[in-house]
């Protein structure tokens, strides 16, 4: 399940994310999800999947 929320980001940071996303054929939203997922995994804080979870993952 995905949740919607407003995110305020400095315009220069957002422009960098948009360029990075385009380089990797992702949307800016997909790129932000990938960045967050990668950071959570690296920090050992990625939540464990619950039983019955659809298994949808962000491509890395």
């Amino acid at each position: 399940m995905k949740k919607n929320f407003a995110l305020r980001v400095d315009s220069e940071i957002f422009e960098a994310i948009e360029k990075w996303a385009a380089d990797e054929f992702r949307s800016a939203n997909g790129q932000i999800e990938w960045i967050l997922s990668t950071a959570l995994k690296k920090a050992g804080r990625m939540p464990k999947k619950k039983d019955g979870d659809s298994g949808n993952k962000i491509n890395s």
Side-chain angles (χ1 to χ4, degrees), residues 4 45 48:
N4 297 323
R45 294 185 171 266
K48 297 196 180 198

Side-chain angles (χ1 to χ4, degrees), residues 22-56:
D23 291 346
E24 298 194 7
F25 305 104
R26 290 188 179 108
S27 65
N29 187 71
Q31 191 70 17
I32 291 167
E33 285 186 279
W34 179 82
I35 292 166
L36 292 171
S37 176
T38 301
L40 286 167
K41 287 176 190 173
K42 184 177 178 183
R45 294 185 171 266
M46 187 61 135
K48 297 196 180 198
K49 296 284 182 190
K50 296 176 188 170
D51 290 340
D53 195 342
S54 64
N56 292 337

Side-chain angles (χ1 to χ4, degrees), residues 7-31:
L7 176 65
R8 290 185 183 94
V9 180
D10 180 82
S11 61
E12 288 181 1
I13 291 172
F14 191 74
E15 288 171 14
I17 289 171
E18 284 182 311
K19 183 176 181 335
W20 189 7
D23 291 346
E24 298 194 7
F25 305 104
R26 290 188 179 108
S27 65
N29 187 71
Q31 191 70 17

